[in-house]
Amino acid sequence: MKKTFELIAPCHFGMEAVLKREITDLGYDITLVEDGRVTFIGDEETICRANIFLRTAERVLLKVGSFHAESFEELFQNTRSIPWEEYIPQDGKFWVAKASSIKSKLFSPSDIQSIMKKAMVERLKKAYGLEWFPESGSSYPLRVFLYKDEVTVGIDTSGDSLHKRGYRTLTSKAPITETLAAALIMMTPWNRDRILVDPFCGSGTFPIEAAMIAANMAPGMNRSFLAEDWKNIIPRKFWYEAMDEASDLLETEVEVDIQGYDIDGDIMKAARANAESAGVDHMIHFQQRPLSALSHPKKYGFIITNPPYGERIEEKENLPALYKEIGERYRALDSWSLYMITAYEDAERYVGRKADKNRKIYNGMMKTYFYQFMGPKPPKRKTGD
């Protein structure tokens, strides 16, 4: 009989609604949406499917407990009361990989980590009748969040963050993560029937993620996950079944118009290599091309892009002219939409119009804005077309 678990999927701040929709579309019930994470219900199979199919989650955590703790003694006792033997085998390797604390009396990550590890050892000593643990088996790293003295404890099932799809070996100067790129694309009305151009594509993340969405390609198809080794919790057959499901859904022959440009020829080579590694190089047209050459004869396309925003002082001087040119090239396109993530505060001023929508998004620790300039919708196709 399958077990029922609570699972936590962390995501970029501001992307909770996109992730929530993804989880619901996979068929799972959401129990809680908080800043930067979504909690949902599932079983062993869910752990496999969530890791393989979720485009916008950073990782998938198996929630093992939550409790209130204002002192290290409370933290120790409550951690010890979690039935760790149900999750960690005798030879399991276990440690607190990350502890974060916001508005809580306990705030030192290193102290939280060492006290929780001690409490786990105490519990498992008693459960297994051992004085010493070899920790030579599979890995069970913990991630712990403290918020207003409430402690949430999860075991990381993913290993490497899920933004590491396995295709990006080469990156440009200011790369956007794969999970954030996917989330931003999914926040727009773009679909595979519409044109997508990224005139500052760098190492190709926006075009590649768009092509993967168009091809219905599961983002975790070409990588492995930590929980694949958890034979005590997840039978291997669930991983095989989830991978088979991902293969069955793949549509690599779909016709799309996705283009990526950059002024840097070496970066274009890297973008092509990344697209090839992802298995979508035949779906994207990459070209070394300046912004001034941005044009397209067709209507109703999308620009989705991450333009330079002047992290270096000498670049800052060029920004007004650059964003003015973005506005000019955009206006020259017929009935297009422009979606742009940037940290540049004067973007709207120089683009030459106010965005229809503007979302504040934290890209790592950097505050950025997702400006959304919406073009008209294409007319509905007549039936029989």
Side-chain angles (χ1 to χ4, degrees):
M1 205 169 112
K2 287 184 184 171
K3 299 177 186 135
T4 303
F5 301 117
E6 254 193 307
L7 302 167
I8 302 167
C11 63
H12 276 275
F13 284 97
M15 296 295 137
E16 298 84 3
V18 184
L19 176 55
K20 183 182 168 188
R21 191 173 72 226
E22 274 203 282
I23 293 166
T24 307
D25 287 349
L26 274 182
Y28 304 117
D29 292 331
I30 310 278
T31 55
L32 185 64
V33 179
E34 301 164 278
D35 282 350
R37 59 183 196 268
V38 179
T39 304
F40 59 107
I41 300 292
D43 54 25
E44 300 94 328
E45 181 185 57
T46 311
I47 294 172
C48 309
R49 293 184 74 230
N51 272 299
I52 291 166
F53 286 104
L54 291 178
R55 295 183 192 281
T56 63
E58 291 303 307
R59 53 186 71 246
V60 178
L61 307 176
L62 170 54
K63 184 177 170 183
V64 292
S66 57
F67 50 82
H68 188 86
E70 295 181 33
S71 68
F72 285 123
E73 180 59 25
E74 279 183 294
L75 181 69
F76 182 88
Q77 296 299 347
N78 284 313
T79 302
R80 192 171 62 175
S81 69
I82 292 169
W84 293 107
E85 63 280 4
E86 289 178 15
Y87 305 102
I88 299 169
Q90 281 194 27
D91 65 349
K93 185 181 178 191
F94 57 96
W95 72 103
V96 183
K98 188 170 185 205
S100 63
S101 175
I102 299 168
K103 298 180 182 169
S104 298
K105 292 184 180 65
L106 304 177
F107 55 83
S108 160
S110 57
D111 289 336
I112 292 164
Q113 286 166 301
S114 64
I115 280 158
M116 290 185 75
K117 169 84 181 195
K118 271 188 201 129
M120 293 168 77
V121 168
E122 286 297 308
R123 170 82 188 207
L124 290 171
K125 267 185 183 175
K126 200 169 171 195
Y128 290 126
L130 292 175
E131 277 305 305
W132 177 81
F133 292 93
E135 298 203 39
S136 56
S138 306
S139 293
Y140 298 80
L142 261 67
R143 290 190 163 241
V144 182
F145 314 98
L146 282 78
Y147 180 67
K148 292 185 178 172
D149 303 318
E150 293 300 320
V151 184
T152 304
V153 188
I155 309 178
D156 179 15
T157 73
S158 304
D160 279 341
S161 169
L162 295 180
H163 79 261
K164 295 187 175 168
R165 317 280 206 223
Y167 67 74
R168 196 164 80 177
T169 48
L170 302 151
T171 61
S172 54
K173 258 190 329 212
I176 191 163
T177 67
E178 295 85 332
T179 42
L180 182 54
L184 293 174
I185 294 166
M186 289 162 79
M187 281 177 73
T188 77
W190 178 80
N191 64 57
R192 65 192 191 181
D193 297 332
R194 309 279 290 272
I195 303 150
L196 188 151
V197 176
D198 180 356
F200 302 97
C201 77
S203 50
T205 311
F206 272 129
I208 292 168
E209 289 295 322
M212 288 171 72
I213 290 167
N216 223 348
M217 181 185 285
M221 276 185 82
N222 298 316
R223 57 161 285 173
S224 58
F225 307 96
L226 207 53
E228 285 179 58
D229 294 329
W230 296 2
K231 315 266 193 322
N232 59 319
I233 299 176
I234 308 169
R236 288 292 302 185
K237 68 168 191 150
F238 290 129
W239 290 104
Y240 296 137
E241 284 168 5
M243 281 295 185
D244 287 347
E245 182 188 355
S247 299
D248 291 345
L249 290 168
L250 199 53
E251 300 174 61
T252 48
E253 299 311 307
V254 64
E255 292 285 318
V256 288
D257 186 348
I258 298 172
Q259 304 179 24
Y261 306 135
D262 204 283
I263 202 160
D264 184 327
D266 290 336
I267 284 291
M268 283 289 79
K269 283 190 193 122
R272 283 192 192 98
N274 289 340
E276 193 176 342
S277 174
V280 294
D281 51 313
H282 62 294
M283 297 172 69
I284 305 169
H285 175 67
F286 284 116
Q287 198 176 357
Q288 182 181 355
R289 199 170 172 184
L291 174 64
S292 57
L294 173 59
S295 66
H296 201 291
K298 291 189 177 166
K299 293 173 79 163
Y300 309 117
F302 283 70
I303 298 169
I304 304 180
T305 194
N306 174 33
Y309 27 88
E311 288 100 310
R312 294 206 293 275
I313 298 296
E314 64 271 22
E315 290 174 349
K316 275 205 166 31
E317 296 162 10
N318 305 326
L319 292 181
L322 177 73
Y323 281 79
K324 196 161 175 262
E325 190 169 21
I326 291 172
E328 285 164 3
R329 295 321 310 149
Y330 170 53
R331 280 189 291 281
L333 293 159
D334 189 356
S335 307
W336 277 50
S337 301
L338 164 63
Y339 292 83
M340 167 171 82
I341 182 170
T342 176
Y344 185 45
E345 304 266 351
D346 286 332
E348 287 171 304
R349 178 180 160 199
Y350 290 107
V351 164
R353 74 172 250 208
K354 198 161 168 40
D356 299 296
K357 281 187 185 171
N358 176 11
R359 289 282 294 271
K360 194 193 296 180
I361 289 160
Y362 281 88
N363 183 6
M365 296 316 290
M366 187 184 282
K367 183 169 73 171
T368 60
Y369 301 91
F370 189 45
Y371 293 106
Q372 305 168 53
F373 302 89
M374 307 195 185
K377 286 180 181 166
K380 286 246 189 313
R381 285 186 183 176
K382 294 184 185 76
T383 47
D385 273 11

